[in-house]
Amino acid sequence: MARPHARAAAALIAVAALALAGCSGGNSAGNGTNGEGASSTLVVDTAFSLETGDPGRNYVPTGNLVLHAVYDTLLTFTGDDTTPQPSLATMEQNEDATEFTFTLDEDRVFADGSPVTADDVVFSLNRVAGMTDSKANFLMAGITVEKVDDATVVLKTEKPSLQLPAIVTNPSLSILNSEEVQANGGAADTTDAAQEFLDGASAGSGPYLLDSLDLTTQVVLVENPEYNGPNPAAYDKIVVRNVTESATQLINLKGGDSNVAVDLSGDQVESLGDDFTVDSVPSAETIFLLINQNAEVAPATANPAFAEAVRYALDYDKILELAGAGAAQASGVIPPMFAGALEDGVAQDLDRAEAALAESGYAGETLKLQFPNDNPVGGVEFTPVAERVQEQLKAIGINIELAPAPFATEIDPYVNGTGAFSMWYWGPDYADSSSFLPFGPGEKVGLRAGWPAEAAPEIAAQVEAARNATSVDERNQAFSAYATAMQESGPFVPLIVPGNNVASDTSVTGLTYNPTWTLDLTALSPAE
């Protein structure tokens, strides 16, 4: 989990969310046109994880969804492709993958008509790096920014960083109008005080403007008349509403009170008929079992053969039945949309599982399986999955007691590495395979499983090879080798990649999942 993922972090914020049900307060879905080619209003329902309109301080999913439409980044993703593409700039890198030169499109302008320049890039990126109250400042760790001329900026790293192009697509690293932001309290250090201004204004170059922002009810975007990029606004207004219950989102969509529902489950989208469009695909998140290798924490699980027994005892097809539309069996620690992901997951092998269990020395003691029971991922509830795991492990002689608890209770033993046997989930910090290296020995999640680098030096070396690759081919091979090794051994048993299910009425086209902003509002347009 990337802390464990932004959605989970949002679950810890004590903010009362107001769910808007059938009545939309004048924001009902409207499909008429304004006479200039843009539909009047698009209404999108989603469960808010929203903290600010300030890109540099944003690091939650709804914030990404909204701000991606208001601000441009140096590079971006197109559709569901996780290969970075030009946005405000094109990019070249040196042979060592330590210097990345960005050349700006000199025609692009901000919402006030002023040009986007290298000074804006330097200020925007250094602002994120310098703000200690920003959840996103880790994205700039180890990166320096230098202006070459008004249209050229170089980003440098000490070590190879082929993940940098993916990092700069993140809406937290949006390029701001530096003069405007600095005039309203902005600074590239801890004195920055521009959040209040950015919560009510648009200092970007995207196709939409921030018209209003309410963290508990709705965000209203309007067309940016100065926009001169490749994806002009298809609507003159987009209303993004906070509807916390997916059942209410479904009712609103079916009743014509909204055009798009972002957070439906697999079962819910399967109930929709021909009057609706569904994008149902595997997400970027993985639900997995963690089997602690620290004998002081859990003597019964510390033998690597115990993890092998668990890995081959499970019937993954039957576990997947609980996940619904769009979900897939996890084929390893890297989800299928990323480079290095394996084509196939583990297949049940009860003979191998029983032999490994005998080798492990497990004596039949009851083990607690800990998991959060109030934080479903992609519509997948953890309790039914845990029950099925319990049943299948019992068949080879492993006795499991289910120990569900609220996320706020379970997060501490998970993060501190004191949980013996648990079920958790992980999503990427940014849309790149390197976001899954933390599962390696001696890495963040590996250490949570009591798995130091010296416990698996060959896999630790593969982590470093993937991290320090200097060419795409070399990198892809390194990630594939890492994923293969992690599948064959180690303290993690990946179970499910939950589905991401978004639905719209047939007046809308362009539904495509992206792991960073979930749904690209700038790609949505009226059906012809």
Side-chain angles (χ1 to χ4, degrees):
M1 9 153 290
R3 302 175 334 233
H5 187 53
R7 266 199 291 270
L12 294 175
I13 300 170
V15 177
L18 174 63
L20 299 181
C23 176
S24 62
N27 290 322
S28 293
N31 301 315
T33 63
N34 61 10
E36 298 176 358
S39 177
S40 57
T41 302
L42 178 76
V43 179
V44 178
D45 283 351
T46 188
F48 272 18
S49 54
L50 181 65
E51 298 173 352
T52 179
D54 179 347
R57 288 184 170 86
N58 166 72
Y59 199 68
V60 289
T62 307
N64 287 343
L65 180 148
V66 168
L67 295 174
H68 175 63
V70 177
Y71 293 88
D72 289 313
T73 45
L74 291 172
L75 303 178
T76 191
F77 297 119
T78 301
D80 59 0
D81 187 352
T82 54
T83 304
Q85 303 292 332
S87 180
L88 285 175
T90 56
M91 187 203 77
E92 295 182 356
Q93 70 181 58
N94 67 353
E95 291 184 358
D96 295 332
T98 57
E99 293 188 9
F100 301 82
T101 301
F102 293 87
T103 302
L104 293 170
D105 179 346
E106 296 183 71
D107 293 331
R108 298 296 299 279
V109 298
F110 289 112
D112 66 355
S114 61
V116 179
T117 70
D119 290 328
D120 300 304
V121 175
V122 172
F123 169 79
S124 300
L125 300 184
N126 283 339
R127 177 176 180 260
V128 176
M131 292 191 300
T132 57
D133 63 339
S134 168
K135 294 178 180 178
N137 66 359
F138 79 96
L139 294 172
M140 289 298 297
I143 301 174
T144 59
V145 188
E146 298 179 6
K147 174 183 175 180
V148 176
D149 55 42
D150 285 345
T152 312
V153 173
V154 176
L155 273 60
K156 297 182 179 180
T157 59
E158 291 187 5
K159 296 181 178 180
S161 184
L162 283 178
Q163 66 267 28
L164 186 145
I167 291 174
V168 300
T169 66
N170 195 290
S172 299
L173 300 185
S174 295
I175 306 308
L176 314 182
N177 185 328
S178 58
E179 289 189 4
E180 187 176 18
V181 173
Q182 288 178 92
N184 288 276
D189 55 36
T190 58
T191 66
D192 180 86
Q195 180 174 351
E196 182 177 356
F197 166 71
L198 291 169
D199 281 346
S202 301
S205 58
Y208 290 94
L209 304 175
L210 182 63
D211 184 66
S212 65
L213 172 77
D214 187 304
L215 301 181
T216 62
T217 57
Q218 67 179 27
V219 179
V220 179
L221 307 179
V222 295
E223 182 180 2
N224 175 7
E226 297 292 336
Y227 179 76
N228 62 348
N231 299 306
Y235 299 92
D236 57 1
K237 179 186 289 187
I238 297 179
V239 181
V240 181
R241 306 187 306 186
N242 183 21
V243 181
T244 58
E245 298 295 331
S246 62
T248 306
Q249 291 187 27
L250 184 64
I251 291 169
N252 289 350
L253 181 64
K254 286 184 172 181
D257 190 55
S258 69
N259 302 108
V260 181
V262 176
D263 305 300
L264 300 183
S265 70
D267 291 339
Q268 287 170 329
V269 296
E270 287 180 333
S271 73
L272 292 171
D274 294 338
D275 291 336
F276 300 92
T277 301
V278 173
D279 183 63
S280 186
V281 296
S283 69
E285 296 177 300
T286 300
I287 296 173
F288 63 92
L289 296 175
L290 180 153
I291 303 166
N292 204 304
Q293 303 296 287
N294 185 343
E296 294 182 2
V297 172
T301 67
N303 189 313
F306 183 83
E308 181 179 359
V310 172
R311 182 176 292 110
Y312 288 97
L314 299 177
D315 185 332
Y316 296 92
D317 289 339
K318 289 186 177 178
I319 293 173
L320 184 60
E321 291 173 354
L322 302 171
Q329 178 189 345
S331 60
V333 295
I334 303 176
M337 70 172 59
F338 295 106
L342 305 177
E343 291 187 5
D344 299 312
V346 170
Q348 185 183 40
D349 185 337
L350 293 179
D351 290 340
R352 181 170 178 177
E354 290 171 352
L357 187 63
E359 180 186 345
S360 75
Y362 172 72
E365 56 267 49
T366 297
L367 303 174
K368 289 185 177 181
L369 176 59
Q370 298 173 256
F371 57 92
N373 63 352
D374 60 348
N375 200 41
V377 179
V380 178
E381 298 282 351
F382 276 39
T383 297
V385 175
E387 291 172 344
R388 194 150 293 186
V389 168
Q390 178 189 43
E391 175 189 356
Q392 293 177 2
L393 293 183
K394 179 68 175 177
I396 68 162
I398 298 177
N399 299 311
I400 298 297
E401 175 188 341
L402 301 187
F407 174 91
T409 301
E410 288 298 326
I411 187 66
D412 284 343
Y414 168 68
V415 170
N416 296 327
T418 59
F421 191 29
S422 59
M423 182 165 60
W424 273 97
Y425 62 99
W426 182 266
D429 280 322
Y430 43 85
D432 183 76
S433 303
S434 60
S435 281
F436 305 94
L437 292 178
F439 283 96
E443 302 295 319
K444 179 190 294 185
V445 189
L447 292 174
R448 292 173 181 174
W451 199 37
E454 57 268 24
E458 292 184 0
I459 300 180
Q462 290 171 331
V463 169
E464 289 304 305
R467 181 174 284 144
N468 295 315
T470 58
S471 74
V472 172
D473 287 343
E474 175 191 354
R475 188 173 193 254
N476 290 346
Q477 292 174 7
F479 272 108
S480 180
Y482 162 72
T484 299
M486 291 290 293
Q487 190 77 308
E488 293 174 351
S489 62
F492 302 104
V493 180
L495 299 174
I496 298 170
V497 176
N500 185 86
N501 297 288
V502 180
S504 73
D505 60 37
T506 54
S507 73
V508 180
T509 63
L511 295 184
T512 306
Y513 170 70
N514 177 274
T516 302
W517 40 80
T518 307
L519 177 67
D520 189 349
L521 297 179
T522 71
L524 301 181
S525 62
E528 296 181 358

